């Protein structure tokens, strides 16, 4: 056999092996949300790498197509098997007009107001001004250390404002609403960090329970986030990159394990009140293909998946592109035009907002 044919065959075989490995990795990452994190702590985090494996398989799809090879069936089969998780990660819905008599809700992690830069006297705390001037009817705010000045800014725009201190006393979960707040209660999620608060609002003739969530973070320090950024950008390579990535995987796995019972507690609370109208939103510190979102989607509609467009990355620092902020609603509510506003630079998160309208009874 001529040398060039042998070499071509060897390269083709190697490419097939790599493509099969990439296809299997995409399947595992895409469906990893079914894995219970305490039992599979590392694999349950594979959803974070899902977009990377999508890109690998896209490259093989293009390469095999250009080569006019039957091996194109490998990435095609992988994409067919991953259509549901791909849609969860990057939905492609048509833009929608706001509904008549709908309610617009926003969720925004304001990072304790550390990111907007100097607070000008004429415009202090621009994140709060942005929320007020957005015209939303309901705003759920996370990671906000509130005082009278900040509350007064919100009260310029909203008729009703209430702040709850989280169990770790590190932040407030804030509700700002044009509708009366009938009451509120903390939801026991089994952890000392962050928290969830259910606010009961009188929206017209309906009582709407809006749960403002800030689930356990990955708790990466600024230095550790910088390590991740350096690995992604290629500044850190070789053994140093591998050791730092291994450390980051172990740390994120611990956080994923602890978030699992928080998600279960939320689902238990929702299913214990089957006649209520729910909106659950906030910073879940979980990617779209995670156990947390899988559990919540069992009882609620994911507003972004149903009406959003694109990956909707809501975290915006350290080359970490991921949607950590989500909004879900009861099936009896219909979402419209859920979006992440990536034009705002007042936090390390972007706000997510959505229009909702009650479905007509059949």
């Amino acid at each position: 056999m001529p040398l060039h044919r042998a070499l071509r065959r060897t390269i083709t075989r190697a490419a097939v092996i790599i493509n099969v490995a990439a296809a299997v990795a995409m399947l595992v990452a895409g469906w990893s949300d079914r894995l219970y994190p305490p039992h599979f702590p590392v694999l349950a985090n594979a959803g974070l790498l899902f977009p990377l494996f999508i890109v690998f398989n896209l490259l093989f799809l293009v390469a095999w197509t250009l080569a006019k090879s039957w091996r194109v069936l490998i990435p095609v089969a992988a994409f067919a098997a991953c259509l549901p998780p791909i849609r969860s990660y990057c939905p492609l819905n048509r833009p929608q007009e706001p509904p008549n008599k709908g309610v617009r809700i926003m969720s925004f992690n304001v990072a304790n107001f550390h990111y907007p830069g100097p607070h000008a006297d004429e415009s202090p705390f621009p994140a709060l001004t942005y929320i007020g001037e957005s015209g939303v009817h309901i705003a759920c705010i996370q990671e906000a250390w509130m005082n009278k000045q900040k509350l007064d800014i919100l009260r310029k725009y909203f008729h009703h404002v209430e702040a709850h201190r989280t169990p770790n006393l590190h932040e407030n979960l804030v509700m700002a609403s044009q509708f009366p707040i009938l009451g509120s209660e903390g939801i026991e999620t089994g952890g000392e960090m962050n928290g969830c608060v259910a606010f009961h609002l009188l929206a017209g003739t309906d009582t709407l329970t809006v749960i403002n969530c800030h689930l356990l973070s990955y708790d990466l320090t600024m230095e550790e986030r910088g390590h991740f950024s350096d690995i992604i950008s290629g500044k850190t390579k070789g053994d140093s990159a591998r050791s730092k990535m291994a450390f980051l995987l172990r740390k994120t796995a611990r956080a994923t394990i602890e978030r699992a019972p928080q998600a279960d507690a939320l689902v238990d609370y929702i299913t214990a009140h089957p006649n209520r109208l729910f909106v659950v939103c906030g910073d879940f510190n979980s990617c779209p293909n995670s156990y947390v979102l899988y559990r919540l989607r069992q009882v609620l509609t994911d507003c972004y998946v149903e009406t959003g467009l694109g990956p909707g990355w809501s975290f915006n620092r350290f080359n970490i592109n991921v949607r950590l902020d989500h909004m879900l609603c009861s099936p009896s509510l219909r979402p419209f035009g859920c979006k992440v506003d990536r034009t705002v630079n007042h936090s390390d998160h972007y706000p997510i907002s959505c229009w909702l309208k009650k479905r007509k009874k059949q």
Side-chain angles (χ1 to χ4, degrees), residues 2-143:
L3 181 60
H4 70 277
R5 286 188 179 181
L7 182 60
R8 181 186 300 175
R9 179 174 293 183
T10 300
I11 293 173
T12 300
R13 287 177 177 174
V16 168
I17 292 171
I18 296 171
N19 192 181
V20 170
V24 171
M26 186 169 75
L27 284 167
V28 172
W31 295 100
S32 62
D33 56 359
R34 269 62 173 176
L35 301 176
Y36 188 52
H39 296 165
F40 303 94
V42 176
L43 283 179
N45 264 318
L48 291 169
L49 300 176
F50 187 49
L52 184 64
F53 298 131
I54 290 176
V55 171
F56 284 163
N57 282 277
L58 274 175
L59 292 175
F60 277 109
L61 180 67
V62 172
W64 294 131
T65 300
L66 292 176
K68 297 181 180 180
S69 170
W70 63 265
R71 298 169 184 85
V72 72
L73 294 176
I74 299 171
V76 167
F79 280 115
C82 284
L83 281 179
I86 289 172
R87 182 171 183 266
S88 296
Y89 178 79
C90 185
L92 299 174
N93 298 292
R94 295 179 181 178
Q96 294 174 301
E97 293 295 324
N100 292 326
K101 299 180 180 179
V103 174
R104 188 177 174 218
I105 302 179
M106 175 184 290
S107 173
F108 195 0
N109 180 327
V110 296
N112 272 327
F113 311 102
H114 289 160
Y115 283 89
H119 297 288
D121 292 337
E122 65 277 8
S123 181
F125 308 108
L128 298 179
T129 303
Y130 165 82
I131 293 169
E133 293 181 350
S134 67
V136 298
H137 303 95
I138 299 168
C140 294
I141 307 171
Q142 305 89 41
E143 208 169 326

Side-chain angles (χ1 to χ4, degrees), residues 186-204:
I187 298 175
E188 178 54 53
T189 55
E192 297 181 357
M193 296 296 289
N194 303 350
C196 300
V197 177
F199 295 90
H200 309 297
L201 311 181
L202 182 61

Side-chain angles (χ1 to χ4, degrees), residues 272-294:
H273 304 90
N275 296 320
R276 290 186 185 177
L277 290 174
F278 281 101
V279 175
V280 181
C281 61
D283 176 7
F284 292 82
N285 277 303
S286 303
C287 70
N289 303 97
S290 64
Y291 176 81
V292 170
L293 271 298
Y294 167 67

